[in-house]
Amino acid sequence: MSIRGSEPRNNYLSKEESFMYDREKSFPMEDTCNEARIEFTENGGLVNLVSRRCLITKLSRSGAIVTMTTKFQLPRNFYLDIVSARLPMIGCLTQRVYTNDVVEARFLRMLSDKDLQRIFVYSTHRNHQGRTLDIYS
């Protein structure tokens, strides 16, 4: 007699998460240079919202590579605020933190093509110098 709870079962959620991470690789990172701000909560008795300046060096629809000038303890969840492109509060998860103050982050939602174009228009990278903002779409 088999007990239903003791059988190994495949969890639907784990399959879905695996599929999501596999799909994420299809979005290539593109070089960019945008100033941004990282915002996160810091708990030291009271909950404080902390904001640090950073620079986005690579960007895709599903993630970004961010560099910072100061070392601090970055939490697993934070918000990325791209001020020049007026994209506030993009939820992010920290994937990897490198020793040279580079953070690899994954967005909680994929950026739309309109948001990507807006970011690239306000980029100071030489690959995006000729881009213009389409105000009718």
Side-chain angles (χ1 to χ4, degrees):
M1 185 171 176
S2 172
I3 300 173
R4 188 172 190 97
S6 65
E7 296 173 1
R9 293 183 293 167
N10 291 335
N11 190 357
Y12 171 75
L13 185 59
S14 66
K15 285 183 180 180
E16 190 66 27
E17 286 179 16
S18 173
F19 178 69
M20 181 179 71
Y21 293 134
D22 292 342
R23 254 178 85 183
E24 192 174 279
K25 299 293 183 187
S26 66
F27 299 114
M29 290 277 189
E30 192 169 343
D31 290 334
T32 186
C33 187
N34 290 80
E35 289 188 15
R37 189 171 48 225
I38 290 178
E39 296 177 347
F40 58 93
T41 57
E42 185 177 64
N43 194 358
L46 295 173
V47 177
N48 298 329
L49 185 65
V50 178
S51 179
R52 306 272 189 218
R53 297 181 78 179
C54 63
L55 186 70
I56 301 172
T57 56
K58 289 186 181 278
L59 184 73
S60 74
R61 289 186 68 181
S62 60
I65 305 288
V66 179
T67 60
M68 291 163 281
T69 56
T70 59
K71 291 188 185 224
F72 58 92
Q73 185 66 30
L74 186 67
R76 178 123 170 95
N77 300 331
F78 63 91
Y79 293 108
L80 186 65
D81 188 10
I82 306 172
V83 180
S84 62
R86 295 185 186 140
L87 290 176
M89 304 290 264
I90 301 169
C92 296
L93 286 175
T94 304
Q95 294 291 95
R96 188 175 297 162
V97 179
Y98 298 99
T99 57
N100 58 350
D101 298 333
V102 174
V103 176
E104 186 177 340
R106 181 177 63 87
F107 299 141
L108 294 178
R109 65 173 173 88
M110 283 198 259
L111 294 179
S112 66
D113 289 331
K114 184 178 178 181
D115 291 341
L116 272 178
Q117 289 302 323
R118 174 172 278 201
I119 292 169
F120 291 146
V121 163
Y122 291 106
S123 173
T124 58
H125 196 271
R126 64 178 180 272
N127 291 347
H128 306 295
Q129 285 179 350
R131 292 196 188 218
T132 57
L133 190 59
D134 186 14
I135 60 172
Y136 296 110
S137 61

